[in-house]
Amino acid sequence: MAKKKQVTMSDVAQRAGVSRTTASFVLNDVTTANIPEETRQRVLQAAQELNYMRNVAALTLATGKTMLIALIVRQTSEATSVNIFTGEFIRGVLGVIEPEDYHLVIHAAGPNQLESTYGKLARIRRVDGLLITLPLLDDPEMIELYEEHIPVVLHGTLTGGIIPSVDIDNEQAAYQAVRHLVELGHRRIGHISNAPFSYASSSHRFKGYRRALDEAGIPYQNQLVLEGDFISASGYLPMQKLLDLPQPPTAVFVSSDIIALGAIAAIRERGYRIPEDISMIGFNDYFFSQHLNPPLTTIRVPAFELGRHAAQLILDLIAGKEQENTQILLPTELIVRGSAVKRQ
Amino acid sequence: MAKKKQVTMSDVAQRAGVSRTTASFVLNDVTTANIPEETRQRVLQAAQELNYMRNVAALTLATGKTMLIALIVRQTSEATSVNIFTGEFIRGVLGVIEPEDYHLVIHAAGPNQLESTYGKLARIRRVDGLLITLPLLDDPEMIELYEEHIPVVLHGTLTGGIIPSVDIDNEQAAYQAVRHLVELGHRRIGHISNAPFSYASSSHRFKGYRRALDEAGIPYQNQLVLEGDFISASGYLPMQKLLDLPQPPTAVFVSSDIIALGAIAAIRERGYRIPEDISMIGFNDYFFSQHLNPPLTTIRVPAFELGRHAAQLILDLIAGKEQENTQILLPTELIVRGSAVKRQ
DNA sequence: CTGAAAGCGCTTACAG
DNA sequence: CTGAAAGCGCTTACAG
């Protein structure tokens, strides 16, 4: 394990013929030090010649900054569905933090709170900031960190809205989807949610569904609305129930492509066809959605962009910049494909 | 940003009435120090009462260990397909490293080598070890790190096999799939690869395909074998070509579920049915595969287990343990569903 | 068995 | 404009 001896700042200073202080100033771009250009260049060149790389641990010890941002992923049972989104989100995050010399550490917090404590990660590893996806409705650990003034940004929307967050505009997205169905002539429109309605995303999407109905003057019917629960299987029974109604819906808005898979299976089993008998709109636009038969009309979620915004926000928070808006809501896009057509 | 003042080891030592040295010894379980149990308990208790958490940066500076493992993900064009796998892999990794107080930092290296340099990550951040997924066939940076004795484990198989790695037994997996087809009575079996044959995984799977044919005494036909290229769209044309043959295959082994999506579309477009006209076996068993129509018979890849093994291996390497076997090959499982049936 | 002390590589008042 | 020096929180020979 004989690693090469490390090049330190002293080496650079020595080679440039200046003190460590001066070297530190130029390497850190401390403008108040007013280093003359000539000296600056000398140091920079020495650093380059020596292939100097700053020792982050020393920096951390001296300043308290770790240049680390943690991403806490709350895994749900159907981890895979989360992964597609999270992968894109991470790419977005890395794109903005790495150029600033930050790195990302990942931690998977189990779905039940008892288990893992990311607070420990925050405190032992002393990360500069935390990104939390899929926050629980009521997460004491998160509040605690927030109150300790550790920068936190979450992906999702929490009622109360004190903690900075990025999310899509769930209500508007659902509204778009259902209005599309209305425009296609549908009046009996079912809804299967992405998650229990206790989740913010589900309840917001439900609101959008209602708003579209209201706007079209379509009376709301409770029996047309059913709860999904993350995994594909959870779309199966609700869809059956919808089909069992004396007057089944002619269209259904399933607010998760994953759950749509289960709903599609139920429809197929009963011998109904999509879209001839029933139109369907999903949510997320996962990559497989366009390859279904028929290709699924759905709502595109800008996972990559969400990651970018979350990262930028946390960086600003760490830098102590004043924030005008710490509740970022990104727009979504309706992707029209073959699964929703004019009411026949 | 007024964070709470940190509890240091000195505080613990003081409260326990011992020196920092002694405190360090018991907190680090240095058995050679032969600390009497009574003292040990006193220190441990003080630490607990003070809620002491070691400062990793100080540890790093003193010992060189960062307690950080980096995961380098080489993104391909179709990032999403990678994400499903990677998410599981990461879960596997975290499960073994976090209990050992290691953390995972993620870095996405672009597909072209010119771009990102994870070597920089390794050297600036001074991670203790690197996990590299989707290694390029010939990656000078990786070799460089390996030669600097930085522990590296890769996911995948590289010819030469000097660098420790974990992978599935691609050949055996493909062999399983194709033998299943043979057992179902098929003799004209097409193959669409998961990636260009320059990739180890593709060429190994191809070998398994051939071995199954050979064993069954089925002559190899070059025209039945076509290259896929990661994304779904890349399954479309090859499948069309297969269908255009004077004697189209009665079954096809598509060594990626993602690419199978494209192949299925081509088959459907021509008015053929799966499995009545053509049987199909995929590869990976992504979560959507079971929801296709018909559900896809495929090969399950133990992504989570691969992560666990990779993590254990890197930990052992870091600890300097002697390794008997640094080339780990995990078995796969044939998942029989509805897309492959007896030749009609 | 236990402690004083040096050292890891940086930053940053404080002088000059 | 620039340097000497203290300090960040740990580890680890070295003495005793």
Side-chain angles (χ1 to χ4, degrees):
Chain A
M1 290 294 150
K3 301 189 187 170
K4 257 187 280 182
K5 239 249 273 30
Q6 195 180 127
V7 176
T8 76
M9 204 177 259
S10 294
D11 298 328
V12 175
Q14 199 172 342
R15 180 177 192 108
V18 300
S19 72
R20 292 159 63 206
T21 309
T22 303
S24 174
F25 285 160
V26 354
L27 259 17
N28 286 306
D29 266 321
V30 180
T31 49
T32 58
N34 250 98
I35 311 282
E37 187 57 21
E38 197 271 325
T39 313
R40 232 177 74 77
Q41 288 306 334
R42 210 141 32 89
V43 174
L44 256 22
Q45 202 184 96
Q48 187 162 105
E49 288 169 3
L50 259 26
N51 192 22
Y52 169 71
M53 294 195 180
R54 128 191 303 112
N55 182 321
V56 180
L59 197 182
T60 299
L61 196 51
T63 65
K65 284 188 64 89
T66 55
M67 305 304 283
L68 242 29
I69 289 174
L71 173 68
I72 312 298
V73 183
R74 286 222 166 261
Q75 300 274 9
T76 63
S77 40
E78 176 87 334
T80 29
S81 67
V82 176
N83 291 343
I84 305 182
F85 175 88
T86 307
E88 278 302 290
F89 186 85
I90 289 177
R91 275 189 50 226
V93 171
L94 293 179
V96 354
I97 71 171
E98 290 194 338
E100 305 293 322
D101 290 328
Y102 280 84
H103 285 290
L104 223 219
V105 357
I106 303 265
H107 174 74
N112 67 36
Q113 326 188 192
L114 309 167
E115 192 183 319
S116 168
T117 55
Y118 53 83
K120 202 177 144 200
L121 190 163
R123 285 180 267 257
I124 283 213
R125 189 59 77 171
R126 289 175 169 83
V127 296
D128 293 333
L130 276 84
L131 261 23
I132 305 181
T133 77
L134 296 184
L136 294 183
L137 287 309
D138 171 38
D139 190 332
E141 201 155 30
M142 194 168 66
I143 304 292
E144 215 174 275
L145 291 174
Y146 178 74
E147 287 176 347
E148 285 180 34
H149 299 283
I150 296 177
V152 171
V153 168
L154 36 105
H155 163 235
T157 308
L158 238 45
T159 37
I162 32 163
I163 301 186
S165 66
V166 298
D167 204 354
I168 52 167
D169 189 336
N170 280 297
E171 184 186 334
Q172 183 61 20
Y175 169 78
Q176 276 175 81
V178 178
R179 197 187 52 183
H180 181 63
L181 256 13
V182 168
E183 284 169 352
L184 288 171
H186 296 280
R187 310 267 314 163
R188 213 154 49 251
I189 300 172
H191 174 45
I192 299 175
S193 72
N194 55 309
F197 287 113
S198 53
Y199 281 76
S201 60
S202 314
S203 71
H204 291 173
R205 289 174 199 181
F206 171 68
K207 265 199 208 157
Y209 164 80
R210 285 217 54 168
R211 178 151 68 88
L213 293 189
D214 289 352
E215 195 185 88
I218 300 172
Y220 171 72
Q221 291 184 56
N222 203 38
Q223 54 180 357
L224 290 180
V225 174
L226 292 158
E227 242 178 28
D229 192 14
F230 296 107
I231 67 174
S232 293
S234 77
Y236 187 78
L237 242 52
M239 193 64 227
Q240 280 194 330
K241 279 198 190 162
L242 252 21
L243 261 19
D244 284 339
L245 252 26
Q247 293 207 26
T250 62
V252 52
F253 168 49
V254 183
S255 63
S256 153
D257 287 357
I258 305 264
I259 294 177
L261 289 174
I264 290 170
I267 292 174
R268 204 142 46 201
E269 258 188 44
R270 292 295 177 92
Y272 289 108
R273 294 159 306 163
I274 303 173
E276 294 83 349
D277 302 315
I278 297 190
S279 280
M280 180 181 288
I281 296 189
F283 204 108
N284 285 125
D285 194 22
Y286 289 124
F287 77 98
F288 62 83
S289 306
Q290 62 182 296
H291 297 292
L292 296 179
N293 180 28
L296 192 63
T297 292
T298 186
I299 298 283
R300 176 118 73 210
V301 174
F304 180 80
E305 283 301 323
L306 283 168
R308 291 190 63 81
H309 278 85
Q312 193 54 61
L313 188 49
I314 196 90
L315 249 29
D316 289 348
L317 252 22
I318 290 171
K321 280 197 202 146
E322 277 308 306
Q323 292 306 128
E324 353 57 271
N325 178 18
T326 59
Q327 308 287 331
I328 296 175
L329 237 43
L330 260 36
T332 51
E333 190 190 348
L334 174 70
I335 306 294
V336 176
R337 287 199 276 249
S339 67
V341 297
K342 271 225 169 69
R343 180 181 164 201
Q344 328 252 300
Chain B
M1 289 292 152
K3 301 188 187 171
K4 256 187 282 184
K5 239 250 271 32
Q6 193 181 128
V7 176
T8 75
M9 205 177 258
S10 295
D11 299 329
V12 174
Q14 198 171 343
R15 181 177 191 109
V18 299
S19 72
R20 294 159 62 207
T21 309
T22 303
S24 173
F25 284 161
V26 354
L27 259 17
N28 287 305
D29 265 321
V30 179
T31 49
T32 57
N34 251 97
I35 311 282
E37 188 56 22
E38 197 270 324
T39 314
R40 233 177 73 78
Q41 288 306 334
R42 208 140 35 87
V43 174
L44 257 20
Q45 202 183 96
Q48 187 160 105
E49 288 169 3
L50 260 26
N51 191 23
Y52 169 71
M53 294 195 180
R54 131 195 297 114
N55 182 322
V56 180
L59 198 182
T60 300
L61 197 51
T63 65
K65 285 188 63 91
T66 55
M67 305 305 281
L68 240 30
I69 289 173
L71 174 68
I72 312 299
V73 183
R74 286 222 165 259
Q75 301 275 9
T76 63
S77 40
E78 175 87 334
T80 29
S81 68
V82 176
N83 291 342
I84 305 181
F85 175 88
T86 307
E88 278 301 289
F89 186 85
I90 290 177
R91 276 189 50 227
V93 170
L94 292 179
V96 355
I97 70 170
E98 290 194 338
E100 305 293 322
D101 290 328
Y102 280 84
H103 286 290
L104 223 219
V105 359
I106 303 268
H107 173 74
N112 67 36
Q113 325 188 194
L114 310 167
E115 193 183 318
S116 169
T117 54
Y118 53 84
K120 202 177 144 200
L121 190 163
R123 285 181 267 257
I124 284 213
R125 189 58 77 171
R126 289 174 170 83
V127 297
D128 293 334
L130 276 84
L131 262 21
I132 304 180
T133 77
L134 296 185
L136 295 182
L137 287 308
D138 172 37
D139 191 332
E141 200 155 33
M142 194 169 67
I143 303 293
E144 215 173 273
L145 291 173
Y146 177 74
E147 286 176 347
E148 286 180 33
H149 300 283
I150 296 176
V152 171
V153 168
L154 37 104
H155 163 234
T157 307
L158 238 43
T159 36
I162 32 164
I163 301 185
S165 67
V166 300
D167 203 354
I168 51 167
D169 189 336
N170 280 297
E171 184 185 334
Q172 183 61 21
Y175 170 78
Q176 275 176 81
V178 178
R179 197 187 52 184
H180 181 63
L181 256 13
V182 167
E183 283 168 353
L184 289 171
H186 295 279
R187 309 269 310 165
R188 215 156 46 250
I189 301 172
H191 173 45
I192 299 175
S193 72
N194 54 310
F197 288 113
S198 54
Y199 282 76
S201 60
S202 314
S203 72
H204 291 172
R205 289 174 198 179
F206 171 67
K207 264 199 209 158
Y209 164 80
R210 285 216 55 167
R211 178 152 66 89
L213 294 189
D214 289 351
E215 194 185 272
I218 300 173
Y220 170 72
Q221 292 184 57
N222 202 37
Q223 54 180 356
L224 290 180
V225 175
L226 293 157
E227 243 178 27
D229 191 13
F230 296 108
I231 68 175
S232 293
S234 77
Y236 186 79
L237 241 51
M239 193 63 227
Q240 280 196 328
K241 278 197 190 163
L242 252 21
L243 261 20
D244 284 338
L245 253 26
Q247 294 207 28
T250 62
V252 52
F253 167 49
V254 183
S255 63
S256 153
D257 288 356
I258 305 264
I259 293 178
L261 290 174
I264 290 170
I267 292 174
R268 204 143 43 202
E269 259 187 44
R270 292 294 177 91
Y272 290 108
R273 295 158 304 163
I274 303 174
E276 294 84 348
D277 303 314
I278 297 192
S279 281
M280 181 181 288
I281 297 189
F283 205 106
N284 285 124
D285 194 23
Y286 290 124
F287 76 98
F288 61 82
S289 306
Q290 62 182 295
H291 297 292
L292 296 179
N293 180 29
L296 192 62
T297 293
T298 187
I299 297 285
R300 175 118 74 209
V301 174
F304 180 80
E305 282 302 321
L306 283 168
R308 292 190 62 81
H309 278 86
Q312 193 54 61
L313 189 48
I314 196 90
L315 249 30
D316 289 348
L317 252 21
I318 291 171
K321 279 194 203 150
E322 277 307 306
Q323 293 307 125
E324 355 51 271
N325 178 17
T326 59
Q327 308 287 331
I328 297 175
L329 238 41
L330 260 37
T332 52
E333 190 190 348
L334 174 71
I335 306 293
V336 175
R337 288 198 276 248
S339 67
V341 297
K342 272 227 171 67
R343 179 181 164 200
Q344 325 252 300

